[in-house]
Amino acid sequence: MMKGLYLVEPVVALYAFSSYLTYPLVQQYVYRRLWQQLTNSTYPISDMSTCAAANSSDPQNHTYYFQKVQEQASLFSLYTQILSVAPSLLVTLLLVAYSDRAGRKVAIVLPLVGTLLYTLSLLLVSYLQLNIYLLVGASLLFSLFGGLGTFLGGCFAYVADLSGGSGRKMTLRIAGLDMMIGLLSGVAALSTGYFLRATGFNGPFLTSAACQVLVLLYAIFFLEETVTRPADAEPDRCLAVRKMFSAIYGMFAHAGAERRMLLALLLLIFTSLSFTYVGSFSLLTLYELNEPLCWTEILIGYGAALSSSIFLFSFLGVAALTYCGAPQLLTVLVGILSLATGMIIVAFSKTTLMMFLARVPMFLSIMPFAVLRSMMSKIISKSEQGALFALLSFTDVLTANVSVAVFNTLYATTVSWYPGLAFLLGAGLCAIPTIFLGVVYAMGADLANDDTEIANEEEGERGETDKDTPENSDDREPLLS
């Protein structure tokens, strides 16, 4: 009898690779199709820059065309986000919270199915040259299966189950998942430009679909479940839904006032930082396609690969600071400052060299997310891990969709006179999580080292059988001094 594997990292790695074979290309595909519709001409391509190609073919109107296509591409992203946000939020909240009872694989497998259907839709639209607005419907279908938020929520909850409450182990393994995303997405992004030039859009889309079939088979047949479902459990969906929401409510209701305040503040830091990060990064490809940069698909691939290396450097930063015993709040602060600095440089980048160098200060900008997830996970009991990561995924998806809509609307409005304004806004918004971080520090949270928490975990295990009670959920991790 084949024994299952407790390794979710291959799922995350292959998923990241397959997703990033298509993610940088979707905006480029939409951009080129819109160019064809608005100009009745093929998209200008040269080995140096698209601006040079457009200028040589139409020196009077190329600037106007670029601005109009930029606006339409930005609005296309806005429509996609608006139509897919509501179902994605609901499914994410329900599936990840339900994984506390039904198992983590339900929150991992279903998003993989949705991603495969979305990629097949991309391939169909590209191969048959169908209306690009069918991709909006494909995004809606993708969101009905939970999307990326559900997938990552299920994977992080899976890792939390395996970590056994160990603070340092959980922090490093969650950061390790982020690193896997960065490494494999970087490899995929680096190859997309050459792949696109050699085979067109159909090749990367087909390869991505094949990878997603493999990762789906691994998740279904080889990945072992970490949650044991009671044999006599009744499939009462109404009762399950009520328990999901009561579990989320219980995280706050069963905690003491100080612990409840800490959890709320950490959630606000996570949400506000995610809003800034996702919104700013969603504009990078459009910004690079616009004048005066006018990057080709090769340069966009290099840029995306360099952006994905942020995950690797952030993991190394978390590992180094953790082993040095640095306060976790300091790790979060360094990540926030890293993001703000990079966004300011992007806003003033007018050359290819400056655009590449702008990513260097952002190498540590992912660190806060892994640390914040670990900090919040240690506050609550083991039976509430799924509810916590459901809430995190819900807020992450909500803020991501809202931020993409806000930043794309702002970009479409300002692209004709100052496209860098959106990035300056992102840098300014980093002040919000910094303020909340200062409040956490003022509360006297003792999060500098996990060793004392790990030493107290054996004592906390005594109450594991009745860990759903308010008393044990409060006494599990003495995080506040």
Side-chain angles (χ1 to χ4, degrees):
M1 183 176 178
M2 182 178 297
K3 183 175 177 61
L5 301 174
Y6 288 95
L7 291 174
V8 76
E9 284 81 1
V11 179
V12 175
L14 198 55
Y15 180 87
F17 178 81
S18 62
S19 296
Y20 242 80
L21 274 178
T22 60
Y23 174 73
L25 298 183
V26 171
Q27 281 188 316
Q28 295 184 65
Y29 179 74
V30 171
Y31 196 89
R32 296 187 182 192
R33 289 289 301 272
L34 288 173
W35 180 279
Q36 294 173 1
Q37 294 178 14
L38 293 174
T39 67
N40 292 321
S41 63
T42 58
Y43 183 73
I45 301 175
S46 75
D47 290 334
M48 297 302 296
S49 73
T50 56
C51 284
N55 191 31
S56 62
S57 61
D58 196 349
Q60 294 181 348
N61 295 324
H62 78 283
T63 299
Y64 170 78
Y65 287 152
F66 269 101
Q67 290 178 358
K68 292 299 294 183
V69 174
Q70 287 270 310
E71 292 175 10
Q72 292 300 315
S74 182
L75 292 175
F76 182 92
S77 297
L78 175 62
Y79 301 149
T80 301
Q81 295 296 325
I82 290 176
L83 291 178
S84 61
V85 59
S88 179
L89 288 172
L90 181 61
V91 175
T92 295
L93 185 63
L94 295 180
L95 277 183
V96 183
Y98 186 55
S99 69
D100 275 336
R101 303 180 68 250
R104 306 302 181 197
K105 290 178 65 172
V106 68
I108 297 175
V109 171
L110 286 181
L112 292 176
V113 174
T115 304
L116 177 60
L117 294 177
Y118 176 71
T119 305
L120 292 175
S121 300
L122 287 174
L123 179 60
L124 191 62
V125 170
S126 174
Y127 185 76
L128 300 178
Q129 290 292 296
L130 302 178
N131 192 308
I132 59 170
Y133 285 93
L134 290 175
L135 297 181
V136 177
S139 298
L140 177 61
L141 177 64
F142 172 62
S143 67
L144 292 175
F145 286 84
L148 179 62
T150 301
F151 174 76
L152 291 181
C155 291
F156 286 131
Y158 189 97
V159 167
D161 293 338
L162 297 177
S163 298
S166 173
R168 176 176 295 176
K169 181 180 178 182
M170 188 184 304
T171 300
L172 292 177
R173 193 156 184 186
I174 289 177
L177 287 185
D178 285 335
M179 183 194 67
M180 296 299 296
I181 294 172
L183 282 178
L184 273 297
S185 61
V187 172
L190 192 61
S191 62
T192 53
Y194 297 101
F195 209 167
L196 174 59
R197 183 163 292 186
T199 66
F201 288 97
N202 295 334
F205 292 160
L206 181 60
T207 304
S208 176
C211 292
Q212 287 160 13
V213 170
L214 292 177
V215 71
L216 184 60
L217 292 176
Y218 175 89
I220 294 175
F221 297 108
F222 295 98
L223 186 65
E224 189 66 57
E225 183 59 75
T226 58
V227 176
T228 303
R229 186 173 182 176
D232 57 348
E234 293 290 336
D236 188 343
R237 289 184 174 84
C238 293
L239 177 61
V241 171
R242 288 197 299 270
K243 287 191 174 183
M244 292 175 213
F245 287 103
S246 65
I248 295 174
Y249 169 77
M251 287 191 303
F252 295 92
H254 296 165
E258 200 171 21
R259 190 176 295 268
R260 183 163 55 242
M261 177 64 72
L262 177 61
L263 181 60
L265 286 171
L266 294 177
L267 184 61
L268 287 173
I269 296 170
F270 183 92
T271 303
S272 57
L273 186 60
S274 176
F275 180 91
T276 301
Y277 179 86
V278 176
S280 300
F281 270 77
S282 68
L283 299 176
L284 283 179
T285 300
L286 283 178
Y287 187 74
E288 292 160 353
L289 288 168
N290 193 24
E291 296 180 304
L293 295 173
C294 303
W295 279 13
T296 63
E297 63 271 23
I298 302 298
L299 288 176
I300 290 174
Y302 281 130
L306 189 58
S307 293
S308 63
S309 66
I310 293 173
F311 292 89
L312 172 61
F313 283 98
S314 292
F315 169 77
L316 296 177
V318 170
L321 292 173
T322 299
Y323 281 115
C324 290
Q328 291 185 314
L329 297 183
L330 177 61
T331 305
V332 176
L333 178 60
V334 171
I336 296 173
L337 296 178
S338 173
L339 176 61
T341 304
M343 288 297 107
I344 292 174
I345 298 177
V346 168
F348 296 102
S349 296
K350 302 299 181 184
T351 65
T352 295
L353 178 61
M354 282 300 299
M355 196 63 193
F356 278 118
L357 292 178
R359 288 173 163 88
V360 175
M362 293 189 284
F363 277 166
L364 301 179
S365 59
I366 297 294
M367 289 198 307
F369 297 107
V371 174
L372 290 170
R373 286 189 179 101
S374 176
M375 290 167 68
M376 286 184 277
S377 179
K378 289 180 287 184
I379 294 176
I380 64 170
S381 66
K382 291 182 180 179
S383 64
E384 297 170 332
Q385 294 297 318
L388 170 66
F389 286 102
L391 181 60
L392 287 178
S393 297
F394 176 86
T395 56
D396 201 15
V397 171
L398 176 61
T399 54
N401 283 275
V402 173
S403 67
V404 169
V406 170
F407 276 81
N408 274 274
T409 302
L410 177 64
Y411 187 78
T413 305
T414 61
V415 65
S416 60
W417 55 277
Y418 188 41
L421 181 63
F423 298 103
L424 290 179
L425 173 65
L429 290 176
C430 288
I432 297 177
T434 305
I435 293 172
F436 289 134
L437 194 67
V439 176
V440 173
Y441 178 78
M443 289 176 60
D446 185 15
L447 297 165
N449 198 315
D450 290 332
D451 293 338
T452 56
E453 297 164 2
I454 297 171
N456 289 327
E457 283 173 1
E458 293 181 0
E459 182 179 351
E461 293 294 334
R462 295 179 306 176
E464 187 173 348
T465 56
D466 56 347
K467 57 191 172 186
D468 289 327
T469 61
E471 294 80 10
N472 285 302
S473 63
D474 249 359
D475 295 337
R476 187 172 179 274
E477 293 282 357
L479 294 179
L480 295 177
S481 58

